[in-house]
Amino acid sequence: MSYHFNEIEAKWQKYWSENQTFKAKNNSDLPKFYVLDMFPYPSGAGLHVGHPLGYIASDIYARFKRHKGFNVLHPQGYDSFGLPAEQYAIQTGQHPALTTEDNIKRYRQQLDQIGFSFDWSREVRTSEPEYYKWTQWIFIQLFESWYDKNNDKASAISELETIFSTEGNANINAVCDEDINNFSADDWNAYSSEEKQEILLKYRLTYLAETEVNWCPELGTVLANDEIVNGVSERGGYAVIRKKMTQWSMRISAYAQRLLDDLETIDWPQPLKDSQTNWIGRSKGALVKFKIQDSEKNIDVFTTRPDTIFGVSFMTLAPEHELVHEITTPEQKDAVTNYIEKSAKRSERERMADVKTISGVFTGAYALHPLSGEEIPIWIGDYVLAGYGTGAVMSVPCGDQRDYDFAKHFGLPIPNIFEGKDISEEAYSEKEGVIIANSDFLTGLSYKEATQKAIEALEAINAGKGKINYRLRDAVFSRQRYWGEPFPVYYVNGLPQMIAEEHLPLKLPEVEKYLPTEEGEPPLGRATNWAWDTNKNEIVSNEMLNQVQHDEPNKDVTPSGVEGSSVKGIYPLELNTMPGWAGSSWYFFRYMDADNDEHFVSEEAQKYWENVDLYIGGSEHATGHLLYSRFWVKFLYDRGMVTVKEPFKKLINQGMILGMSAIIRRNSEILVKKTDGTSEIIKNDPPVFISERGVEANAEFTENGKRGTMNLSVSEIPLIKYEEEKEFELREQYENLQSTAFKYEWLHVDVSFVNPATREIDLQKLKNWQSEFGKAKYYLTSSGKMYAKNEVEKMSKSKYNVVNPDEICSQYGADTLRMYEMFLGPLEQAKPWNTAGITGVHSFLKKMWKLYHNDEVFVVSEEKASPDSMKTLHKTIKKVTEDIEEFSFNTSVSTFMICVNELTVQKCDQREVLEPLAILIAPYAPHIAEELWSKLGHDSSITTAEYPVFEESFLVESTKQYPISFNGKMRFTMELSLELGKNEIEKAVMADERTQKQLEGRTPKKVIVVPGKIVNIVG
RNA sequence: GCUCGGAUGGUGGAAUUGGUAGACACGUUGGACUUAAAAUCCAAUGAUCAGCAACGGUCGUGCGGGUUCAAGUCCCGCUCCGAGUACCA
């Protein structure tokens, strides 16, 4: 009976599904274990071989834990809101929900065929109203909370109101907006309800605020940084300006320190912790207040070097700084306004890229040095970022290279305040080993002492204080998109009100197009039914908005607006939707209790499962999902909604599986410069494709394991040939042509057209493939061939390099795929996909199958196994168990191979060995293991079979092959009893004739004997 | 620039944490079976020198030093590659 993997795999997949083998119970006497994968975004391209890598690893672990007697929760779901479905909807008009549904079906089918042990009864989809109801609910909880710095936790906003009404805000120590004035209880009580709401909004953990965004007026939309090229929109080339827009934000900055501190409590890879640490970017320094001359106003700056305060020779503000207009003198007004306009036109990215150009302008105003009282000119410069610190710096040119460059450029003074340091060429920015000079009372002090003294001095005159600053900014939570969670928010007189919990979910409305409106509103602005009726508590038609008169609607609104709002009417709903990370920031709780429609997770279920014990996913989420999730969990913990402070106890990053893509060069534009100074762009239509070969004269390649070189003569360089011919042609056309410049671009083509060894393209297939390639002209090598460039990169539909697991499953089976993906190399490492070694893994499984069969018939003997076989088995148990616990799956696959090879040689057919072996391999190759298990006479699944226990006694050896080395070089081995002591070993070794031969009569200087390990003779 | 990670045969990768470098697999070569192919099995396979023979010699883990009886592994100084991040005051 040979190994019919297709039948076996289909049979057991059906069995698992029918028997709900992997359904987890929410109560059990067994200890719990929660294994989770980062849930996928169901893209149209389907699952490629890179996706399952992490899933296979976590599945092995989950199955291992079941054998070890744990109640395992191993769920899966879909992060189903997102941009690709929306883009597709814009192009085709198809509703994203339908596309998403189709994609999910395909994903599920692909996942099922790999044999994962997911508990599908707990599946979640972030785009389902039953799910996003709770995302909206959490949003409301954030809105209903503020951050109390005294207790260092989030608290209910109602508490804050109580405090305000009894003692004002004098004693409040909160993380909040900066522009809050002090008020007393009487003030508060006298405020109108609208004023109260405005104030409270500045304290809430999710709040509306003006945020600077990249706005494209022509397209009527906000653009992300990467959608802007050279200051214009990538699509259409329209101007992009930085603009302030009102957006929902999350006050994640309140949690900066806790997010940093608690990294120590979780078992995550160090690089990932490092990148979160850098992202949070804590820096210690001081806030210093500079008085503006002839003004009541101050400029606050943040500095990490208060010790250099006497080195300040000017100040620089970000162009967006709020005081700029106010302080600018009339003479400088034009220059300043000009500069601000110019810098507003530059995108943030452009500004960052262009670090070398120094620009700035003097405001005409002066500040007063808080300690010396000197006049300090105030400049603006775009090297100062509005978003970091206070958007203003005290410039110390001798100690900071940027300040130094700025000072040099504009001829500002560069006073030296460092003892014995040369600053004639560049700033001296080292902190250690400096002695401060020319600095009044700081002179002669070290960096450390001076820093402390300076802060004390500033605090004494109320001109500054020690401060810790974080790079982490509050997260913008609004997106001008359709396919996302609607905010449960309506507006009364411009102030946001929450829809009460019992009326959730607020379902996404239908729209006729998924584009922004002509007025520049987000797609939800197109919805005709998108107004909230507070009488009926339901969505009504927008038309109703105009029909209902609101008589002083703000008058009686309760501050929070959630419960008992007495203002009844029809109000507009929020038009933005939530970002992609909303739904993924809490989904791990939902799996614990996926069908609960009373709570986002029940208290019992959460207390039982706590949090995720093992989380596997890509490191690209280091500063996104993994940070936001931690933030939300901490918030939920503060408000008593969950009992854990962290979502994921242990995290493993699986490396990406890369694909080989083929790219070819084409020329579509030529810039023609003419002698009269004008120029013209010629469009090459159809474009011309130029073979890549010939750039290097000798190209190395590997073919069937053999290396070779390919020699190409210069005459074969098609690029030069093309340019020469084309230029000749153009000279005939243009009499006044001066020079030509060819613009090339690289295009991805289907990898299956390219011979991986020679990189030669099958030109006929290419031409038949897409109309563009059919119409194009080709410049081939002199041998008439077209070559592509190979590149190893991320698998993606647009690069035509996606390898689906489906073919592998049908050709070799899921068990082979699972083991092969593990065998490829260490889990964390990125590696290119290649199927070269897959036959090795497949024949291993066939070989293992044969161990249990004799001439096509299943045979196991009940006799006692040989000591050799028992030793092989127990060696394997030991190694595989250790490997799983260390997530070293590639080496455990090798161990299985060694084990089967040895047992085959031993002709082992005893149940005593073969039954435990089936359990050992079950996590890796569950289908074949189930089949063998049932043939071994078991009528239930192998899933919960007890994991074999390693027994040292089978491995005990009496002798060892000692390596005998001379001066550290191993010359031969000797079999010696392990019972021998040092001296006896030395005696035996010295007595051996081979030793004497090596020594050639010399007497060894020293003999090192490490019993059980090695003998080294030094001579 | 800064932070982190890496470099081992023709290839993917092992190496008990300082103790026989190259496990396991692919590929390649030779052989067996077969009319033939596929499949399967057996043997060889780091480079190099020598040779009738072998438990032969030399070199060998990116480069240069060092510590040690012993270094892929530890220390110092580089080179190259990859990832993240960046005018962060």
Side-chain angles (χ1 to χ4, degrees):
Chain A
M1 188 191 259
S2 47
Y3 172 41
H4 295 296
F5 51 86
N6 283 328
E7 276 168 40
I8 294 171
E9 289 176 1
K11 170 180 160 191
W12 288 102
Q13 282 163 15
K14 191 169 163 232
Y15 174 93
W16 294 330
S17 141
E18 282 172 358
N19 290 279
Q20 305 202 348
T21 309
F22 308 117
K23 198 170 165 148
K25 293 189 192 74
N26 270 12
N27 42 51
S28 161
D29 296 334
L30 302 174
K32 70 99 189 183
F33 203 87
Y34 186 179
V35 184
L36 185 64
D37 297 297
M38 289 186 185
F39 61 169
Y41 173 77
S43 87
L47 217 57
H48 61 66
V49 291
H51 286 114
L53 183 75
Y55 303 162
I56 294 168
S58 63
D59 197 58
I60 289 170
Y61 205 80
R63 287 175 180 270
F64 170 72
K65 281 285 177 185
R66 289 194 192 95
H67 288 298
K68 281 282 194 181
F70 285 83
N71 181 30
V72 172
L73 174 57
H74 186 40
Q76 188 57 289
Y78 306 96
D79 191 10
S80 47
F81 270 134
L83 219 51
E86 179 158 340
Q87 299 294 69
Y88 190 73
I90 291 169
Q91 285 160 24
T92 63
Q94 173 150 200
H95 198 289
L98 298 176
T99 330
T100 304
E101 179 71 36
D102 285 350
N103 292 348
I104 287 178
K105 268 190 198 139
R106 173 143 166 70
Y107 264 64
R108 177 63 192 274
Q109 200 189 344
Q110 288 183 302
L111 289 170
D112 280 348
Q113 90 189 344
I114 302 171
F116 292 120
S117 65
F118 293 130
D119 177 357
W120 284 108
S121 71
R122 295 169 184 258
E123 180 194 300
V124 304
R125 299 179 185 185
T126 55
S127 62
E128 289 293 320
E130 295 74 39
Y131 180 87
Y132 68 67
K133 167 181 175 177
W134 297 108
T135 310
Q136 293 173 335
W137 180 82
I138 293 172
F139 173 82
I140 296 172
Q141 305 314 306
L142 282 153
F143 184 81
E144 292 303 325
S145 303
W146 63 292
Y147 200 88
D148 181 355
K149 277 204 247 181
N150 288 337
N151 293 318
D152 207 16
K153 70 193 261 290
S155 295
I157 208 94
S158 55
E159 273 176 39
L160 191 64
E161 287 176 74
T162 313
I163 300 169
F164 286 166
S165 65
T166 54
E167 43 187 281
N169 71 346
N171 300 323
I172 291 293
N173 186 10
V175 180
C176 55
D177 290 4
E178 310 244 310
D179 57 342
I180 297 171
N181 299 321
N182 280 346
F183 53 81
S184 67
D186 290 342
D187 292 338
W188 174 260
N189 294 325
Y191 289 149
S192 71
S193 142
E194 199 169 35
E195 283 167 316
K196 285 179 182 170
Q197 285 191 62
E198 272 169 12
I199 291 167
L200 287 172
L201 199 52
K202 295 173 195 281
Y203 288 88
R204 297 179 188 275
L205 284 185
T206 183
Y207 59 100
L208 274 173
E210 289 234 297
T211 314
E212 203 157 88
V213 293
N214 296 308
W215 176 254
C216 178
E218 306 282 330
L219 295 174
T221 184
V222 165
L223 298 176
N225 277 344
D226 56 335
E227 292 169 315
I228 302 161
V229 181
N230 299 328
V232 297
S233 67
E234 193 182 15
R235 257 179 241 169
Y238 303 114
V240 176
I241 54 167
R242 289 206 307 278
K243 181 183 163 184
K244 287 202 163 175
M245 267 181 75
T246 302
Q247 306 265 287
W248 284 102
S249 285
M250 290 276 166
R251 224 178 280 281
I252 187 173
S253 58
Y255 285 86
Q257 190 60 48
R258 284 166 65 191
L259 288 168
L260 207 55
D261 292 342
D262 288 352
L263 281 174
E264 284 174 28
T265 67
I266 47 182
D267 183 7
W268 287 18
Q270 196 55 42
L272 205 139
K273 287 189 183 183
D274 289 346
S275 81
Q276 287 209 348
T277 305
N278 290 337
W279 191 260
I280 295 166
R282 178 190 147 112
S283 54
K284 212 175 144 192
L287 201 66
V288 186
K289 226 184 258 181
F290 283 76
K291 272 208 156 56
I292 302 168
Q293 199 170 36
D294 305 324
S295 161
E296 291 301 296
K297 294 279 169 80
N298 294 309
I299 295 174
D300 285 343
V301 303
F302 175 74
T303 177
T304 52
R305 297 292 302 274
D307 58 310
T308 64
I309 189 150
F310 285 99
V312 175
S313 66
F314 60 101
M315 298 187 71
T316 317
L317 309 186
E320 299 89 347
H321 196 280
E322 51 183 12
L323 289 177
V324 169
H325 289 287
E326 206 170 310
I327 63 171
T328 302
T329 57
E331 304 83 66
Q332 293 298 98
K333 196 153 192 91
D334 287 349
V336 168
T337 316
N338 237 322
Y339 183 73
I340 293 172
E341 262 175 36
K342 225 171 66 193
S343 72
K345 274 191 197 133
R346 300 172 77 196
S347 69
E348 199 155 339
R349 166 172 282 208
E350 202 187 339
R351 213 163 117 173
M352 284 190 269
D354 186 19
V355 179
K356 286 180 194 81
T357 316
I358 295 162
S359 72
V361 56
F362 180 45
T363 61
Y366 290 85
L368 298 173
H369 192 287
L371 298 173
S372 71
E374 256 176 82
E375 286 182 9
I376 301 163
I378 304 172
W379 286 66
I380 60 175
D382 66 6
Y383 80 95
V384 178
L385 301 177
Y388 182 76
T390 60
V393 299
M394 59 176 224
S395 302
V396 182
C398 69
D400 183 286
Q401 195 56 44
R402 292 155 301 172
D403 296 343
Y404 187 92
D405 295 341
F406 195 86
K408 266 266 159 84
H409 190 260
F410 290 107
L412 295 159
I414 307 178
N416 190 353
I417 53 148
F418 299 121
E419 186 69 54
K421 302 292 179 199
D422 175 25
I423 55 153
S424 57
E425 289 301 319
E426 55 180 11
Y428 187 83
S429 54
E430 297 288 315
K431 290 175 188 169
E432 298 312 318
V434 292
I435 300 294
I436 306 296
N438 306 323
S439 293
D440 196 345
F441 61 92
L442 299 179
T443 302
L445 299 180
S446 70
Y447 153 73
K448 231 177 162 176
E449 297 160 337
T451 301
Q452 202 192 333
K453 269 264 171 80
I455 293 175
E456 280 168 15
L458 289 165
E459 280 175 351
I461 56 166
N462 201 18
K465 57 180 185 219
K467 197 194 163 175
I468 289 162
N469 196 54
Y470 300 92
R471 198 183 79 109
L472 184 70
R473 299 182 206 178
D474 282 351
V476 176
F477 200 65
S478 299
R479 295 291 182 274
Q480 294 73 41
R481 304 286 179 186
Y482 174 74
W483 193 231
E485 298 87 348
F487 284 84
V489 173
Y490 61 95
Y491 289 89
V492 177
N493 240 27
L495 283 169
Q497 311 295 327
M498 297 293 125
I499 288 169
E501 184 186 330
E502 62 263 33
H503 308 305
L504 299 179
L506 179 70
K507 288 190 190 168
L508 198 57
E510 296 303 318
V511 292
E512 27 87 44
K513 255 200 216 167
Y514 304 98
L515 286 169
T517 65
E518 276 73 43
E519 296 78 38
E521 283 178 333
L524 292 192
R526 291 180 181 273
T528 48
N529 279 320
W530 199 238
W532 189 252
D533 183 340
T534 59
N535 285 303
K536 296 190 221 147
N537 285 308
E538 60 181 35
I539 299 172
V540 294
S541 162
N542 296 18
E543 285 170 20
M544 306 273 286
L545 276 174
N546 308 323
Q547 291 165 16
V548 177
Q549 292 293 313
H550 300 295
D551 300 324
E552 297 180 46
N554 53 327
K555 207 171 179 182
D556 302 318
V557 176
T558 59
S560 72
V562 173
E563 291 297 329
S565 166
S566 57
V567 172
K568 300 297 180 190
I570 313 269
Y571 298 101
L573 283 159
E574 169 71 54
L575 301 180
N576 288 292
T577 54
M578 298 188 197
W581 55 270
S584 60
S585 292
W586 71 279
Y587 75 110
F588 35 88
F589 287 128
R590 191 61 184 166
Y591 286 131
M592 296 173 181
D593 196 11
D595 295 323
N596 194 331
D597 50 16
E598 302 284 311
H599 299 283
F600 75 107
V601 57
S602 74
E603 215 180 310
E604 310 83 71
Q606 191 275 317
K607 271 192 178 153
Y608 178 72
W609 293 111
E610 296 179 326
N611 51 11
V612 178
D613 293 286
L614 173 66
Y615 196 36
I616 296 189
S619 58
E620 65 271 23
H621 299 107
T623 50
H625 162 61
L626 289 173
L627 197 61
Y628 296 130
S629 302
R630 295 183 61 218
F631 160 44
W632 277 31
V633 169
K634 288 186 188 308
F635 163 72
L636 293 169
Y637 172 82
D638 283 355
R639 296 300 317 273
M641 289 149 186
V642 299
T643 60
V644 291
K645 295 180 183 173
E646 287 287 338
F648 318 115
K649 280 193 200 117
K650 182 174 177 70
L651 181 104
I652 303 262
N653 289 129
Q654 96 273 18
M656 212 174 334
I657 290 195
L658 305 165
M660 184 67 82
S661 40
I663 50 180
I664 57 177
R665 177 174 39 203
R666 81 161 175 197
N667 170 259
S668 53
E669 277 182 17
I670 305 161
L671 178 73
V672 176
K673 278 198 180 144
K674 297 177 213 164
T675 46
D676 61 7
T678 61
S679 57
E680 196 180 316
I681 290 174
I682 314 273
K683 295 252 182 216
N684 241 342
D685 187 34
V688 175
F689 287 91
I690 299 130
S691 186
E692 146 71 2
R693 258 302 173 217
V695 176
E696 327 129 73
N698 283 300
E700 264 189 76
F701 70 96
T702 311
E703 186 176 16
N704 296 332
K706 280 199 172 163
R707 268 166 73 157
T709 41
M710 205 177 260
N711 291 307
L712 293 151
S713 68
V714 178
S715 68
E716 279 182 305
I717 298 177
L719 181 69
I720 294 172
K721 199 172 77 182
Y722 163 68
E723 287 188 2
E724 276 176 354
E725 284 178 17
K726 193 71 193 179
E727 189 169 325
F728 183 76
E729 197 181 293
L730 287 169
R731 277 191 193 280
E732 307 233 301
Q733 264 176 52
Y734 296 88
E735 280 173 9
N736 58 348
L737 185 144
Q738 189 182 31
S739 66
T740 52
F742 291 77
K743 192 183 155 200
Y744 295 98
E745 53 201 345
W746 293 93
L747 278 192
H748 283 87
V749 300
D750 196 316
V751 270
S752 65
F753 304 159
V754 183
N755 177 332
T758 61
R759 307 192 323 211
E760 187 188 338
I761 292 182
D762 186 323
L763 206 53
Q764 205 46 55
K765 277 189 189 165
L766 181 72
K767 286 180 179 172
N768 294 339
W769 181 42
Q770 282 183 0
S771 63
E772 185 186 1
F773 292 98
K775 281 185 286 186
K777 285 187 189 167
Y778 294 89
Y779 264 76
L780 308 176
T781 60
S782 60
S783 55
K785 287 177 177 173
M786 181 94 194
Y787 293 98
K789 198 160 108 175
N790 279 359
E791 217 153 77
V792 173
E793 51 188 350
K794 224 170 141 172
M795 283 190 186
S796 117
K797 207 177 170 183
S798 61
K799 290 170 189 154
Y800 311 105
N801 64 347
V802 173
V803 183
N804 286 117
D806 310 41
E807 313 160 27
I808 312 241
C809 279
S810 61
Q811 201 180 341
Y812 297 102
D815 285 341
T816 300
L817 175 76
R818 291 169 66 106
M819 292 198 88
Y820 182 60
E821 290 221 9
M822 292 299 103
F823 191 57
L824 273 176
L827 183 61
E828 301 86 352
Q829 212 168 80
K831 50 221 158 216
W833 176 258
N834 91 61
T835 45
I838 203 160
T839 52
V841 174
H842 188 62
S843 45
F844 152 73
L845 284 172
K846 283 198 269 188
K847 211 166 166 183
M848 186 172 101
W849 179 261
K850 273 196 192 161
L851 269 182
Y852 295 76
H853 295 83
N854 191 359
D855 287 339
E856 308 280 298
V857 182
F858 181 82
V859 178
V860 289
S861 131
E862 304 297 330
E863 284 161 27
K864 265 200 114 27
S866 71
D868 274 355
S869 296
M870 291 309 284
K871 188 176 156 189
T872 298
L873 173 69
H874 282 269
K875 218 168 61 182
T876 307
I877 297 173
K878 181 166 191 261
K879 179 81 173 115
V880 169
T881 312
E882 284 169 2
D883 284 348
I884 293 186
E885 272 155 8
E886 284 161 27
F887 303 93
S888 174
F889 300 113
N890 55 327
T891 51
S892 46
V893 176
S894 306
T895 307
F896 282 123
M897 289 174 170
I898 295 167
C899 172
V900 167
N901 288 344
E902 287 183 6
L903 293 179
T904 305
V905 171
Q906 293 158 10
K907 300 204 168 24
C908 171
D909 65 351
Q910 290 87 6
R911 175 183 292 271
E912 197 181 4
V913 171
L914 297 185
E915 197 165 272
L917 178 61
I919 303 170
L920 281 180
I921 205 157
Y924 294 81
H927 308 88
I928 194 173
E930 287 277 20
E931 182 70 15
L932 296 171
W933 186 248
S934 94
K935 287 185 166 185
L936 283 159
H938 301 276
D939 49 15
S940 63
S941 164
I942 196 170
T943 301
T944 50
E946 200 183 321
Y947 204 75
V949 177
F950 166 65
E951 275 175 50
E952 186 78 52
S953 60
F954 291 105
L955 298 197
V956 172
E957 302 260 8
S958 57
T959 64
K960 168 163 175 86
Q961 288 286 339
Y962 273 93
I964 312 299
S965 41
F966 293 79
N967 295 321
K969 284 177 190 166
M970 206 280 287
R971 294 294 141 155
F972 57 88
T973 60
M974 260 178 97
E975 182 160 357
L976 294 170
S977 165
L978 276 165
E979 281 165 23
L980 296 182
K982 266 193 182 189
N983 293 335
E984 292 159 301
I985 294 171
E986 184 175 338
K987 236 174 161 179
V989 171
M990 293 312 290
D992 195 281
E993 55 175 288
R994 288 171 296 183
T995 309
Q996 293 312 318
K997 197 178 155 196
Q998 285 290 336
L999 286 170
E1000 291 169 331
R1002 284 168 288 141
T1003 327
K1005 285 196 197 117
K1006 208 167 168 192
V1007 179
I1008 312 271
V1009 178
V1010 186
K1013 286 213 161 152
I1014 199 168
V1015 177
N1016 191 18
I1017 297 163
V1018 187

